[in-house]
Amino acid sequence: MVKELYQTILRETSLNVTSGEIDSIRKKSITKSGCRVYDGSYLGVSGVLGEPTPEAWTQAEANLSRRIPCPWGPETGKRRTCRRGTAMDAGRFLQLAEELLKTLRQDFPQFIFSNKINFTEDEVRLQNDGGLSYAWQDAAVQMSLLVRAQDSVNIFDTGIGSVYRTFDLEQVLKEAGEMLEAHLNPIALPDVEKLPVLGSPGMFERAWAEGLNGQKLARNASPWSGMVGQKLFADCFTLEVDRSSQNFFEPEGSCLEGDTLPLIENGVFRRGYADKKCAWEQHMEPTAAASGAYDDVPALALPSLSVRPTGKTLEELLDGRPALYVFTSGGDITPDGSFATPVQMAYLYQNGRLVGRLPEFGLRGNLTDLLGKDFLGCS
């Protein structure tokens, strides 16, 4: 019998922002321990807050009676990864956040800022008596500010923020300022037949979750079932599982050679995403695509994905054309690959900057076209 300890450690300083000022500070430090036992055929799992206890291990062994199949067994090998940015303590974080909010209030009195700014330190450990020793660390500032115009009746009108391993106050203010200035300049949609759209790979997350799911591919429930090996998208489009240092994620223990693995490579559909269970059941290649709570059995989940850059800057890709810089939430994909999503907020991008706020509209099209003949590239 192999015993395996899966541990997550979260330390967080959270600032609650109301009317552009910090009104409360919350600190927490939480350790969660998942106890797993493998008997060669089945997996037993139990969890506890804090450090593992003898009772948790006993319960994990007792849970083998649930006969959760795990013939592939536990991971082996050793790896340690640290992705922390510039060292920062809670005091420095608070100082930077106060400076940020002060500048935003002074420069943009037309807006009310609210929501959260967090500084999070994450650590994950996975080790077993079969030889596995895996550790991962990351730390970042997560800024998510909702922005509402003083005379607006909406809950919020737009938002500013991102995830920063290095919280460069000058750069953050520059990016926020450009967007807020554009928001103050409402303009009409350009009267042209077609415009490039700038967005993140996340706008197609629902499509990837449905279309590239290994179980759905095997059961003919994906638009791309039976199409592995076929050219479906543009030559310059490569979508890959990304566990490199550029990405933020909570790993599940499996490693990829080179930290990346293409699902779509140069337009060719290579494989769907699969955890060990899916790979074992459907005779597929595992792609490090499992997730789950500390006290639960790992299950198939959409891994962190990135579009491989095509070697050109944004200005080179656009070649002087204006573009729509969009923020979307929602959207869906039909069985034939047709995609549609509402655009909650959009700005016109031209000559290297955002120039104005556009009215609400919707995007639609077939993914084979959007990421095929119409795809310009990833900057």
Side-chain angles (χ1 to χ4, degrees), residues 161-178:
S162 187
V163 184
Y164 311 92
R165 283 201 181 98
T166 301
F167 196 62
D168 185 332
L169 186 59
E170 183 178 346
Q171 184 63 30
V172 172
L173 284 168
K174 178 182 176 182
E175 294 172 357
E178 182 179 337

Side-chain angles (χ1 to χ4, degrees), residues 28-155:
K28 63 182 179 182
S29 179
I30 302 174
T31 297
K32 300 177 181 178
S33 298
C35 301
R36 303 171 179 174
V37 293
Y38 303 82
D39 68 357
S41 299
Y42 301 106
L43 168 65
V45 178
S46 180
V48 63
L49 289 174
E51 296 296 326
T53 62
E55 292 77 14
W57 287 112
T58 299
Q59 185 61 54
E61 292 184 28
N63 286 341
L64 286 169
S65 63
R66 298 187 178 186
R67 302 175 70 84
I68 300 171
C70 190
W72 46 87
E75 280 286 317
T76 60
K78 298 183 178 181
R79 182 169 181 175
R80 183 170 296 275
T81 304
C82 181
R83 292 175 175 168
R84 296 176 184 273
T86 304
M88 187 187 315
D89 59 25
R92 177 59 176 161
F93 165 60
L94 179 59
Q95 178 186 355
L96 289 173
E98 288 178 331
E99 290 179 21
L100 169 77
L101 293 170
K102 179 181 178 181
T103 303
L104 289 175
R105 292 195 307 269
Q106 291 175 345
D107 292 352
F108 296 97
Q110 308 94 326
F111 295 113
I112 298 171
F113 303 93
S114 62
N115 207 30
K116 303 285 185 182
I117 308 176
N118 297 337
F119 175 54
T120 303
E121 298 174 279
D122 286 303
E123 186 173 351
V124 175
R125 301 170 186 169
L126 186 63
Q127 51 194 7
N128 61 40
D129 49 19
L132 175 67
S133 179
Y134 186 99
W136 167 85
Q137 294 176 314
D138 209 341
V141 173
Q142 300 167 308
M143 186 176 82
S144 178
L145 290 178
L146 301 179
V147 182
R148 180 172 67 87
Q150 292 277 6
D151 57 354
S152 174
V153 297
N154 298 322
I155 296 174

Side-chain angles (χ1 to χ4, degrees), residues 88-339:
M88 187 187 315
D89 59 25
R92 177 59 176 161
F93 165 60
L94 179 59
Q95 178 186 355
L96 289 173
E98 288 178 331
E99 290 179 21
L100 169 77
L101 293 170
K102 179 181 178 181
T103 303
L104 289 175
R105 292 195 307 269
Q106 291 175 345
D107 292 352
F108 296 97
Q110 308 94 326
F111 295 113
I112 298 171
F113 303 93
S114 62
N115 207 30
K116 303 285 185 182
I117 308 176
N118 297 337
F119 175 54
T120 303
E121 298 174 279
D122 286 303
E123 186 173 351
V124 175
R125 301 170 186 169
L126 186 63
Q127 51 194 7
N128 61 40
D129 49 19
L132 175 67
S133 179
Y134 186 99
W136 167 85
Q137 294 176 314
D138 209 341
V141 173
Q142 300 167 308
M143 186 176 82
S144 178
L145 290 178
L146 301 179
V147 182
R148 180 172 67 87
Q150 292 277 6
D151 57 354
S152 174
V153 297
N154 298 322
I155 296 174
F156 65 95
D157 296 304
T158 188
I160 54 175
S162 187
V163 184
Y164 311 92
R165 283 201 181 98
T166 301
F167 196 62
D168 185 332
L169 186 59
E170 183 178 346
Q171 184 63 30
V172 172
L173 284 168
K174 178 182 176 182
E175 294 172 357
E178 182 179 337
M179 183 175 294
L180 294 173
E181 287 173 2
H183 194 87
L184 293 171
N185 181 33
I187 58 177
L189 275 169
D191 187 18
V192 294
E193 182 178 352
K194 184 180 290 190
L195 276 176
V197 172
L198 309 179
S200 73
M203 67 187 295
F204 297 123
E205 183 173 327
R206 181 71 178 270
W208 304 138
E210 297 289 327
L212 299 178
N213 182 299
Q215 295 286 7
K216 291 182 180 292
L217 286 165
R219 297 167 182 168
N220 293 318
S222 161
W224 304 305
S225 290
M227 296 185 182
V228 172
Q230 294 185 26
K231 179 70 178 298
L232 301 178
F233 304 102
D235 291 340
C236 61
F237 182 73
T238 294
L239 181 74
E240 54 194 0
V241 179
D242 187 354
R243 291 181 168 272
S244 70
S245 60
Q246 300 302 312
N247 238 321
F248 297 88
F249 65 94
E250 183 174 303
E252 53 85 50
S254 295
C255 298
L256 298 172
E257 184 176 351
D259 287 330
T260 60
L261 180 69
L263 303 182
I264 299 167
E265 186 174 28
N266 300 324
V268 178
F269 180 29
R270 295 295 186 192
R271 56 184 65 81
Y273 64 87
D275 63 353
K276 289 181 180 180
K277 181 173 186 259
C278 175
W280 180 71
E281 291 176 342
Q282 308 299 343
H283 307 288
M284 299 175 67
E285 178 182 0
T287 65
S291 184
Y294 71 102
D295 57 352
D296 202 358
V297 178
L300 180 63
L302 182 70
S304 180
L305 300 177
S306 291
V307 177
R308 186 182 297 170
T310 49
K312 293 183 179 181
T313 66
L314 182 56
E315 298 311 311
E316 289 171 334
L317 290 172
L318 292 176
D319 193 24
R321 291 170 292 187
L324 308 178
Y325 179 43
V326 303
F327 295 86
T328 68
S329 179
D332 209 345
I333 181 173
T334 63
D336 67 351
S338 294
F339 171 81

